[in-house]
Amino acid sequence: MQITLFIHLTALPAWLVLSRPDRRRIGEAALAHSGFPRLRHFDAEAFSALSSDIVMVEGDSIEALYSAMERLRDTPMFTRPYFRLDAIYPAVEDGFRQFEAAEARA
């Protein structure tokens, strides 16, 4: 079963004072180190007062996503910290369909 995490983050002043090239370099290194199988980034600061960024990651197992989150938390993104972790929402896309299909086979 594929699992999706919606990770809500807020950029902290330590991040915002960095130059854009430095942000890109640090961010790319952190995400490469984490090893998320599939990742998408969404800017939310223009539309939300709750989080500045939302990262959507997908994996085929909870173990893979757990390991990737642990590795990410060991990077300067959180150890410096450059971002505050606001929330993580795990979800299964169309989970009800998978459930109904499994129930029909039972």
Side-chain angles (χ1 to χ4, degrees):
M1 177 179 288
Q2 183 169 293
I3 300 164
T4 302
L5 300 180
F6 294 91
I7 304 167
H8 291 228
L9 304 164
T10 295
L12 299 175
W15 180 257
L16 298 173
V17 299
L18 296 173
S19 68
R20 291 188 182 268
D22 283 345
R23 291 183 201 174
R24 187 174 306 106
R25 179 183 50 77
I26 293 166
E28 288 173 357
L31 294 176
H33 176 75
S34 70
F36 282 114
R38 292 173 296 283
L39 180 142
R40 292 173 61 189
H41 173 260
F42 301 85
D43 285 319
E45 69 267 2
F47 308 106
S48 172
L50 300 176
S51 299
S52 62
D53 300 83
I54 299 170
V55 176
M56 183 182 92
V57 296
E58 298 173 309
D60 295 327
S61 73
I62 195 69
E63 294 85 5
L65 292 175
Y66 179 86
S67 295
M69 280 301 301
E70 285 291 332
R71 286 189 295 272
L72 182 63
R73 287 181 176 177
D74 289 340
T75 70
M77 300 298 272
F78 292 100
T79 61
R80 169 82 171 97
Y82 289 126
F83 283 86
R84 181 183 69 233
L85 179 60
D86 297 325
I88 300 175
Y89 296 100
V92 175
E93 185 174 10
D94 291 329
F96 72 96
R97 287 194 174 110
Q98 294 177 43
F99 173 78
E100 290 172 354
E103 287 292 303
R105 289 189 300 271

